[in-house]
Amino acid sequence: MDLAIVGLRAGGKTTVFNALTAGHGGAAGGAEQIGAVKIPDDRLEQLATLVKAKKITPIEVTLHDLPALFERGAAPSGSSAETLSRADALLHVVRAFERDDVPHPRGSVDPERDIRAFEEEMAFNDLGVIERRLEKLDITVRAARPGEREVAEREQSLLGRCRDVINGSARLRERIRDAQDLKALANFGLLSLKPQLILLNIGESEVERASDLEAEFSGRYASAGTAVSVLCAGLEAELAELTSEEAAAFRREMGAGEDTTHAVLGKVVRLLDLVTFFTIGEKDAHSWTVPTGASALQAAGRVHTDIERGFIRAEVIAWDKLLEFGSHTEARRHGQLRTEGKQYTVQEGDVINVLFNV
């Protein structure tokens, strides 16, 4: 899962990156930094304890800290453009903190203005991509053979709808929701089509109001494909350098509540409309994600293509039921371990064991 950290200059993107990666990121070439973060899951921990797993593998998110986009009106290019095209979602860092020694490039701190400005830049960028492609398609439609013409006309129609959405001041991520449409648009790198987590980067003086601010901005901006979270990145980056005991004591003193960094990443998982399932054994207890509505066969392929190819059936049980009965054997004896076929729809928290033959 790849997440691109974006936003205006002096918004604290790199501080957010350091907070989320606990300072363990590294340079990836140019001005980009890259880091991997594992998302803790108490369910996985309990399942690992149950089977005495030697290894625990939680969900991992790869973070890309990109330089400020749209500087002087320029579109993303080079490695930034490549990273954005393959990113599963955008983490849009919005400055909500005051610092005299770090002036805001627009002269004042105004999160709502900055959110609107960045959305407009993304829409303008996407409109350019769409217009250029439509110009080429116009030539293709007139010159192509009948079969090729039909394919080009379908693409032309879809891109025309996208252009109308943008010209109507709506966001692509809210209006283009059909799975086939999204698949057809996947290679265009349309930024306003990507799921987005708006992350308000607040100062330490606002920490106690974090929940209220999140509720306020969620009411204004949360919608299909867009969620809102709040983080005091400066504080979290400092706490990441302490031991867990020291950090907990400091949080109590500051009234900062629980660690919010993993909550932010958990929100991204939900924003992407993913469900988590588990595979467990003595060697490894592992978390996996698949899109909501995915089949058992797709889940098998997520683990390994050989398992998907040789799929026979899946043994499935809810994670909490497995903990309740203590083992697969006991769960089977009480009729709680189900046998499912290829088309079974994976549910959040399923523990799945696929029987296969290759």
Side-chain angles (χ1 to χ4, degrees):
M1 190 188 313
D2 285 86
L3 186 61
I5 302 177
V6 299
L8 299 176
R9 185 163 47 86
K13 293 185 287 79
T14 297
T15 307
V16 167
F17 175 82
N18 289 334
L20 295 178
T21 61
H24 295 149
E32 180 181 341
Q33 293 192 91
I34 187 169
V37 183
K38 297 183 186 301
I39 305 178
D41 190 327
D42 185 58
R43 299 171 299 178
L44 180 65
E45 297 285 342
Q46 293 181 63
L47 291 168
T49 300
L50 179 69
V51 298
K52 298 181 175 59
K54 295 177 181 177
K55 180 183 177 184
I56 300 177
T57 308
I59 297 168
E60 185 172 276
V61 178
T62 301
L63 300 173
H64 301 264
D65 175 25
L66 300 181
L69 305 178
F70 313 120
E71 292 284 89
R72 301 180 182 86
S77 60
S79 62
S80 291
E82 292 178 14
T83 296
L84 287 168
S85 69
R86 66 174 182 268
D88 297 299
L90 305 178
L91 180 56
H92 177 192
V93 177
V94 179
R95 179 170 175 172
F97 64 87
E98 298 277 1
R99 268 187 62 176
D100 293 338
D101 61 326
V102 185
H104 193 291
R106 300 194 175 208
S108 63
V109 175
D110 186 341
E112 294 196 61
R113 176 201 62 204
D114 292 350
I115 291 171
R116 289 194 301 270
F118 200 78
E119 286 283 5
E120 289 168 2
E121 291 284 10
M122 287 195 293
F124 185 73
N125 176 81
D126 291 350
L127 194 57
V129 172
I130 291 168
E131 293 284 10
R132 288 191 293 274
R133 180 57 183 163
L134 283 173
E135 288 176 6
K136 292 181 179 179
L137 283 172
D138 185 53
I139 298 171
T140 301
V141 167
R142 285 188 274 119
R145 295 186 179 91
E148 295 173 346
R149 183 182 301 119
E150 290 175 6
V151 173
E153 285 175 339
R154 285 197 296 271
E155 184 180 341
Q156 193 176 46
S157 174
L158 175 57
L159 289 173
R161 281 197 288 124
C162 291
R163 179 179 58 189
D164 292 343
V165 168
I166 294 174
N167 286 334
S169 299
R171 301 176 183 91
L172 289 178
R173 72 180 74 91
E174 295 175 0
R175 298 296 181 85
I176 308 297
R177 306 291 294 173
D178 180 78
Q180 289 301 113
D181 289 343
L182 293 173
K183 184 177 179 180
L185 294 168
N187 293 326
F188 289 100
L190 300 175
L191 301 181
S192 61
L193 185 63
K194 291 181 180 292
Q196 174 188 213
L197 178 65
I198 296 173
L199 183 63
L200 285 180
N201 186 11
I202 61 173
E204 291 186 17
S205 62
E206 298 289 331
V207 165
E208 292 185 357
R209 295 185 57 234
S211 296
D212 293 337
L213 287 169
E214 184 169 315
E216 177 187 340
F217 277 79
S218 292
R220 295 175 191 171
Y221 297 103
S223 61
T226 302
V228 177
S229 193
V230 174
L231 182 75
C232 180
L235 175 62
E236 293 296 342
E238 291 178 10
L239 292 177
E241 298 177 1
L242 305 178
T243 66
S244 56
E245 293 79 10
E246 290 171 335
F250 196 86
R251 287 180 192 285
R252 288 192 295 272
E253 184 179 331
M254 288 285 298
E258 297 298 318
D259 183 347
T260 53
T261 56
H262 293 128
V264 167
L265 295 173
K267 241 180 187 180
V268 173
V269 173
R270 294 190 293 275
L271 178 65
L272 289 169
D273 200 19
L274 302 173
V275 295
T276 301
F277 71 95
F278 307 103
T279 57
I280 62 170
E282 291 184 2
K283 290 184 177 180
D284 185 27
H286 204 126
S287 289
W288 308 88
T289 57
V290 288
T292 297
S295 67
L297 185 63
Q298 290 172 294
R302 183 74 178 84
V303 178
H304 199 286
T305 53
D306 283 350
I307 299 177
E308 180 181 25
R309 184 161 51 88
F311 187 103
I312 298 172
R313 63 183 182 276
E315 295 179 335
V316 183
I317 184 172
W319 73 276
D320 51 348
K321 286 294 182 183
L322 182 56
L323 290 178
E324 178 184 338
F325 290 101
S327 69
H328 282 86
T329 301
E330 281 299 302
R332 183 181 290 107
R333 196 164 68 84
H334 287 83
Q336 293 296 317
L337 186 65
R338 311 186 310 276
T339 298
E340 303 286 359
K342 294 179 179 179
Q343 299 309 313
Y344 167 74
T345 300
V346 178
Q347 302 298 308
E348 175 65 33
D350 275 348
V351 179
I352 300 177
N353 177 42
V354 176
L355 304 179
F356 68 102
N357 181 36
V358 290

